[in-house]
Amino acid sequence: MEALLKIVLLVLLILITYQDFKHRAVSWVFFPLAFASLLWIQLLEKTHSLFMAYSLVNLLMMAIHLLVISLYFSLKEKEFVLITKNKLGLGDVLCLIILCMGFSPINFICFMLLVLITGLVITLNLKLFIQNLNPKIPLASYLSMGFMIVLILEYFALLNPYEDLLITIINY
């Protein structure tokens, strides 16, 4: 059952990646399905209290992050800016919310930093070579691709997104 759910989640992530790269928009149906798949996987695999604690901490960090971004743009433009209107797509925010369930807080921060920096570097390099490139960054695509890599590494037991490797190394 768990393997089937992970395959479904991988397919949904592939569809999100494809649609976001191609159209800079994603069908809303994929997000509740991905949320339900990941939620079900996590409830089967993890202890419920650990899953809830990690998810809530990650959601709180993400809410603070989005609030700070909104405040920055509001101060910059001297009026209230709702970042999901013209700065960040709703699909990007939904993807971020879904990914809050997939990691321990430290791994979530590391994942976000790695994906955001990699996505920015890739997009900037593409803009150098492609003249008519859509100026919007396909954040949901980069997040989905990053999470696909995490799921594949987890399958081969090379990574556990719920185990803080940094803390484990420091403790030894």
Side-chain angles (χ1 to χ4, degrees):
M1 182 63 156
E2 215 173 294
L4 179 64
L5 285 169
K6 285 188 178 184
I7 291 170
V8 167
L9 182 58
L10 279 171
V11 168
L12 289 167
L13 292 171
I14 289 169
L15 292 171
I16 290 170
T17 301
Y18 174 76
Q19 280 194 349
D20 197 30
F21 265 125
K22 184 162 173 106
H23 306 291
R24 297 299 194 266
V26 180
S27 177
W28 70 270
V29 174
F30 296 141
F31 295 109
L33 292 173
F35 180 85
S37 300
L38 185 57
L39 178 64
W40 201 348
I41 290 167
Q42 298 298 55
L43 290 176
L44 289 173
E45 289 182 351
K46 311 294 185 261
T47 60
H48 298 273
S49 59
L50 183 66
F51 165 69
M52 288 300 295
Y54 282 178
S55 296
L56 289 174
V57 168
N58 291 341
L59 280 170
L60 180 63
M61 283 190 302
M62 190 51 53
I64 291 169
H65 180 75
L66 294 173
L67 179 65
V68 167
I69 292 172
S70 185
L71 286 173
Y72 168 77
F73 282 113
S74 295
L75 290 172
K76 183 179 175 186
E77 298 182 15
K78 296 181 176 90
E79 67 177 312
F80 179 73
V81 174
L82 185 62
I83 59 171
T84 56
K85 272 249 192 233
N86 54 6
K87 304 292 182 196
L88 193 65
L90 185 58
D92 299 332
V93 174
L94 291 174
C95 199
L96 288 168
I97 291 169
I98 292 167
L99 292 179
C100 286
M101 294 187 302
F103 298 92
S104 68
I106 291 174
N107 286 341
F108 184 65
I109 292 169
C110 294
F111 172 79
M112 290 301 298
L113 285 172
L114 186 63
V115 166
L116 293 174
I117 291 169
T118 303
L120 184 61
V121 168
I122 290 170
T123 302
L124 290 175
N125 283 320
L126 285 174
K127 284 185 179 185
L128 290 174
F129 298 109
I130 302 172
Q131 295 296 329
N132 297 332
L133 187 68
N134 189 332
K136 294 182 179 178
I137 296 175
L139 182 60
S141 293
Y142 292 129
L143 292 169
S144 296
M145 285 189 300
F147 196 57
M148 283 188 275
I149 292 168
V150 167
L151 289 174
I152 291 167
L153 291 174
E154 183 181 25
Y155 176 78
F156 290 108
L158 299 172
L159 175 73
N160 182 352
Y162 257 66
E163 183 179 300
D164 291 329
L165 193 58
L166 183 62
I167 291 177
T168 306
I169 290 170
I170 292 172
N171 284 338
Y172 286 108

